[in-house]
Amino acid sequence: MTYHPFHTFGSERGGRWLITCDHARNFVPSQVAGGDLGIAAEDMARHIAYDPGAAGVSLALGEILDASVVCSNFSRLVIDPNRGEDDPTLVMKLYDGTIIPANRHVGAEEVERRLNLCYRPYHQEVARLAARREDTLYCAVHSFTPQLRGRDPRPWHVGVLFARDERLSAPFIDLLRAEPDLCVGANEPYGGHLDGDSVDRHAIRHGRPNVLIELRNDLIQTEEQQWHWAARLAPLLEQAVRIAQV
């Protein structure tokens, strides 16, 4: 069976937005460690292996915004598409208290093989779709766990990450913060930039207006919740575009 490292949805849609989900699945292809990284099923179901709920939100946003959507088809523990190729965390050996046995002795040759199998084809597809029109708007969708092991609970319902280009993120954050029931993080729960990450690669380097959305994953567990958030976020994204005049 041929392995496909990404899935594209709505490639025929005509909207300006391109929606990406870097950590859509917790799948390990058979070409990597026989399809088993050596960690327990409950760990593969955690945020360390993918972004729970993010794919569903991405697909719903794509439908509402008439946008193409690209979802990865490999676990971030295989190789993380939201890192630069020279990032030391590209292949994680320990994540949130869990050792990844199949990654413990990964060397440069295996990293290169995973880059060619998974990472590079995914980014080639994102680059292809982003380049179809000159006025592409880039939206990356992620989710975060409510609490890392041994850390304080995270209060935010939604975070917006940004770096260098705040044309869309600044008005989008303002619009979210005007919602009385939301706790909104700006560059929370993470900082907004890593050299070579997806937004850097596909948006910032090309001058494309962009926004990265982080949703707390306990809020997007069901399809109903995912559609609820997409329906809530989509008009605010469109309003942010009008405010930014991009």
Side-chain angles (χ1 to χ4, degrees):
M1 182 180 295
T2 303
Y3 169 62
H4 298 283
F6 60 85
H7 294 300
T8 301
F9 303 87
S11 59
E12 76 289 349
R13 293 173 183 155
R16 291 179 64 190
W17 288 98
L18 173 62
I19 313 295
T20 63
C21 189
D22 290 339
H23 303 141
R25 293 196 64 199
N26 57 357
F27 180 70
V28 181
S30 61
Q31 295 91 333
V32 176
D36 186 348
L37 297 176
I39 67 175
E42 54 265 33
D43 278 326
M44 284 302 296
R46 293 203 299 132
H47 69 99
I48 66 170
Y50 75 125
D51 283 354
V57 175
S58 298
L59 295 176
L61 275 174
E63 290 198 32
I64 296 168
L65 294 171
D66 193 34
S68 299
V69 182
V70 186
C71 293
S72 68
N73 187 32
F74 52 93
S75 171
R76 68 196 303 169
L77 296 179
V78 170
I79 195 162
D80 193 334
N82 197 33
R83 298 289 186 272
E85 291 196 12
D86 58 352
D87 192 295
T89 64
L90 184 66
V91 177
M92 293 289 283
K93 300 181 179 183
L94 173 70
Y95 196 170
D96 194 21
T98 296
I99 294 172
I100 318 303
N103 292 348
R104 289 183 67 179
H105 304 296
V106 165
E109 183 177 344
E110 175 62 12
V111 170
E112 182 70 14
R113 197 176 69 83
R114 296 187 193 186
L115 284 167
N116 288 328
L117 178 70
C118 300
Y119 179 107
R120 288 172 181 152
Y122 169 75
H123 282 296
Q124 287 164 4
E125 176 68 355
V126 175
R128 181 185 74 83
L129 291 171
R132 289 184 304 175
R133 52 189 298 167
E134 294 183 357
D135 62 348
T136 294
L137 303 169
Y138 188 89
C139 176
V141 179
H142 293 259
S143 70
F144 63 94
T145 187
Q147 186 173 12
L148 291 170
R149 289 177 173 175
R151 305 286 186 88
D152 293 334
R154 291 162 158 174
W156 311 282
H157 301 107
V158 57
V160 180
L161 310 191
F162 54 88
R164 297 204 295 269
D165 181 358
E166 299 180 39
R167 287 175 292 172
L168 277 180
S169 57
F172 186 55
I173 290 168
D174 288 342
L175 291 166
L176 286 168
R177 285 180 168 167
E179 302 280 310
D181 60 330
L182 293 184
C183 180
V184 180
N187 275 342
E188 298 286 359
Y190 314 107
H193 179 71
L194 291 170
D195 288 335
D197 68 11
S198 293
V199 171
D200 180 46
R201 177 189 295 255
H202 299 294
I204 293 174
R205 294 180 188 178
H206 302 274
R208 294 178 181 125
N210 62 87
V211 63
L212 190 156
I213 300 170
E214 287 271 5
L215 289 163
R216 208 175 70 205
N217 66 30
D218 62 321
L219 304 176
I220 51 172
Q221 294 178 341
T222 68
E223 185 176 358
E224 182 180 5
Q225 291 173 319
Q226 292 156 14
W227 270 93
H228 166 80
W229 273 97
R232 187 170 190 177
L233 295 172
L236 300 183
L237 286 168
E238 294 284 63
Q239 192 174 346
V241 173
R242 292 191 292 271
I243 293 170
Q245 298 183 331
V246 294

